[in-house]
Amino acid sequence: MDNNNILVVLPHPDDEAFGVAGTLAMHVQNGAHVTYACLTLGEMGRNMGIPPFANRVTLPEIRKKELEASCRAIGIKDLRIMGFHDKMIEFEEQDLLDERIDALLKELRPSLILTFYPGYSVHPDHDACGEAVVRTVGRLPEQERPPVHCIAFAKDLEQAIGRPDIINDVRDFLKQKMASIEAHRSQYQAAELVGSTKLKPKEIQERFGTECFWSYPFN
């Protein structure tokens, strides 16, 4: 499959950093055009930086700038901020959500879509985002459906959906991936995300050097 036109649909700024940044940087280096449709600005997040430099009022603009910086680090030139509400994707009107995604499909004709695996992505926004993508793609005639590669990390997911069928070695793209993670300054400093100590190069390779995906089974 020629993955030269990639559409990424994820709900929050920073979702791209940990799960797909290395893979996207690899595809960009190979000449792919990447469009990232980020559904929200993560404006309901609780991390405000350490020490805090954001507040509830300033957070949306800060998260937007961090997202733009992350995209520059990866090499993404087409960022679409979709304007949905953080922590509300599961409650959004399905027809509206599907309509916006369908418009992207018709405009971009992607050869590959990356999103979350519905039901196996822990956060309600992640699951609702993935559900909207596969629901919309599933309406396309079978011969027109691009493959959908999903991120998943729920507990016991391999018993439910098996092992990932796509495992990308992204060690050659850790510079871009770590720059993407570090762009999210209001979030990545949180100790629960990257820890409170500076990681050694070998630890970075072991922790971030592989990205796994599951092909979504439409049939």
Side-chain angles (χ1 to χ4, degrees), residues 203-216:
E203 293 172 319
I204 291 175
Q205 287 197 359
E206 291 174 349
R207 184 165 178 177
F208 299 110
T210 303
E211 292 178 350
C212 299
F213 302 89
W214 285 255
S215 296
Y216 189 80

Side-chain angles (χ1 to χ4, degrees), residues 22-195:
T23 294
L24 294 177
M26 177 179 67
H27 284 304
V28 168
Q29 180 174 284
N30 291 334
H33 177 273
V34 176
T35 298
Y36 178 14
C38 189
L39 298 187
T40 82
L41 284 175
E43 67 273 13
M44 294 301 291
R46 296 184 61 82
N47 292 324
M48 301 288 174
I50 302 175
F53 59 87
N55 58 49
R56 187 58 66 204
V57 174
T58 63
L59 191 62
E61 186 62 23
I62 288 173
R63 290 282 167 89
K64 179 183 177 185
K65 291 184 182 306
E66 291 173 348
L67 176 60
E68 291 169 344
S70 169
C71 287
R72 286 194 295 274
I74 296 169
I76 298 172
K77 297 180 179 177
D78 186 7
L79 170 64
R80 313 287 180 99
I81 297 172
M82 303 295 284
F84 289 96
H85 299 98
D86 186 25
K87 297 190 177 180
M88 294 286 287
I89 300 301
E90 63 181 314
F91 304 113
E92 293 286 354
E93 185 180 341
Q94 283 192 1
D95 289 347
L96 175 62
L97 196 54
D98 296 0
E99 180 181 299
R100 299 288 301 282
I101 294 171
D102 187 58
L104 289 172
L105 298 180
K106 289 175 177 170
E107 174 196 345
L108 300 167
R109 303 286 180 187
S111 54
L112 173 66
I113 299 176
L114 302 181
T115 190
F116 282 112
Y117 204 119
Y120 299 97
S121 300
V122 179
H123 190 295
D125 276 358
H126 296 173
D127 287 330
C129 173
E131 286 170 6
V133 170
V134 301
R135 190 168 59 234
T136 305
V137 174
R139 293 193 187 104
L140 297 174
E142 186 173 351
Q143 66 274 17
E144 295 181 15
R145 286 179 205 150
V148 176
H149 294 176
C150 299
I151 312 161
F153 41 77
K155 188 179 294 184
D156 300 329
L157 79 170
E158 290 191 3
Q159 287 86 342
I161 60 174
R163 297 178 62 81
D165 58 322
I166 299 150
I167 300 174
N168 291 333
D169 181 345
V170 299
R171 288 176 294 177
D172 288 343
F173 301 92
L174 283 175
K175 178 180 177 182
Q176 294 93 322
K177 180 167 182 170
M178 299 312 293
S180 167
I181 293 171
E182 290 170 2
H184 295 284
R185 291 183 58 241
S186 66
Q187 301 191 71
Y188 99 95
Q189 297 174 64
E192 66 268 26
L193 292 181
V194 297

